[in-house]
Amino acid sequence: MNVYKGKITFNKEQCVLCQTCAFVCPAGAINISCVEPHKSYDFIIWHNTCTVCGNCTYFCPTGAIALSNTLAEATPQSEKYTAITANMVEYGECQKCHEPMINVPQTMLQKGFKNVSEELVSLFNLCPKCRRDHTFAKRAL
């Protein structure tokens, strides 16, 4: 008899590497480790350790982690000791200076701003230094 356990899913395009999920996970089922500083990070969810408490989904500011409620995505009990979700989260680069940076997902911009225009999106494609310089130049001129 197969008993099914819900599964935590991960969308690496939404992740900003804040590591809140790993911090709030009481079971220690989420591991984020540096592969190459300011380039890429391994993001692993150990489904055998996960208690499906939902803390990671509740506290994730971007919605990168979600709890699946469909049976097709659930992990069968027979695979509970080998099932993991593994992804590599990579830094993007500043559109102006090409320094590595974490991209701000559209969902996060929508949470913070009433109207998300193309100008706002392009502003958040700049690193914090270039964003400051751009904003200052625009106000000073």
Side-chain angles (χ1 to χ4, degrees):
M1 177 178 157
N2 275 340
V3 177
Y4 289 90
K5 178 180 173 183
K7 182 177 181 182
I8 301 294
T9 59
F10 176 69
N11 180 344
K12 74 178 191 172
E13 303 302 320
Q14 297 290 87
C15 184
V16 293
L17 291 171
C18 67
Q19 301 191 26
T20 300
C21 55
F23 181 75
V24 299
C25 180
I30 299 172
N31 182 21
I32 301 169
S33 57
C34 180
V35 175
E36 192 175 341
H38 302 291
K39 297 269 186 201
S40 60
Y41 288 76
D42 278 337
F43 187 101
I44 298 174
I45 300 171
W46 296 93
H47 295 289
N48 65 327
T49 307
C50 178
T51 61
V52 195
C53 69
N55 277 355
C56 57
T57 62
Y58 181 80
F59 289 105
C60 179
T62 63
I65 298 180
L67 179 59
S68 169
N69 59 0
T70 59
L71 192 58
E73 292 179 0
T75 305
Q77 187 72 14
S78 60
E79 297 173 14
K80 76 175 192 171
Y81 293 111
T82 57
I84 66 167
T85 296
N87 278 284
M88 183 169 289
V89 180
E90 297 174 327
Y91 274 51
E93 67 175 30
C94 175
Q95 297 296 317
K96 187 173 180 183
C97 69
H98 305 290
E99 285 294 314
M101 63 174 267
I102 296 173
N103 294 325
V104 178
Q106 185 80 13
T107 54
M108 194 166 203
L109 290 176
Q110 289 169 338
K111 283 182 180 181
F113 298 95
K114 184 176 181 181
N115 297 314
V116 179
S117 64
E118 271 192 49
E119 184 181 355
L120 184 69
V121 171
S122 67
L123 188 61
F124 279 91
N125 283 330
L126 300 175
C127 69
K129 181 191 177 308
C130 291
R131 194 177 315 139
R132 259 190 321 273
D133 294 346
H134 174 82
T135 304
F136 181 75
K138 192 172 181 178
R139 288 183 183 169
L141 297 176

